[in-house]
Amino acid sequence: MKADIHPNYRDVVFYDTSSEFKFLTKSTIETSETITWEDGNDYPLYKVEVSSQSHPFYTGKKMMLDTAGRVEKFNRRYAQKK
């Protein structure tokens, strides 16, 4: 097996910005932010907009997540010209 070709597999905290939910898992994702977890250790932090705690399929709730005005941008772009 070749040395130094594999990404760094480490513990990372994923933070769902829409539901304030955080979970610790392993990942190879590169991040520049860190957070102190419940066990007192510092871990890399990666922010996500949707997770199982906020996705309508998993929660059974209908939520409108309009991040950065995507709906308005879509409506402006594809609006019917009268």
Side-chain angles (χ1 to χ4, degrees):
M1 196 151 90
K2 293 183 180 179
D4 300 326
I5 63 166
H6 300 287
N8 184 17
Y9 190 63
R10 61 197 175 148
D11 291 325
V12 177
V13 174
F14 284 83
Y15 172 57
D16 182 348
T17 57
S18 62
S19 68
E20 304 290 321
F21 178 67
K22 299 175 189 147
F23 59 96
L24 179 66
T25 188
K26 293 199 174 268
S27 178
T28 60
I29 197 160
E30 293 295 324
T31 67
S32 58
E33 297 180 74
T34 61
I35 189 170
T36 302
W37 190 242
E38 299 161 355
D39 62 3
N41 294 326
D42 288 335
Y43 294 103
L45 174 68
Y46 187 74
K47 295 179 182 176
V48 294
E49 295 177 0
V50 177
S51 72
S52 61
Q53 292 295 314
S54 62
H55 194 281
F57 180 81
Y58 297 105
T59 61
K61 300 176 188 172
K62 288 190 176 190
M63 294 175 49
M64 185 61 165
L65 296 177
D66 182 21
T67 57
R70 291 181 185 170
V71 173
E72 289 82 9
K73 184 177 178 182
F74 176 84
N75 288 335
R76 279 193 313 269
R77 181 176 288 169
Y78 297 107
Q80 294 285 335
K81 304 286 184 189
K82 292 182 181 183

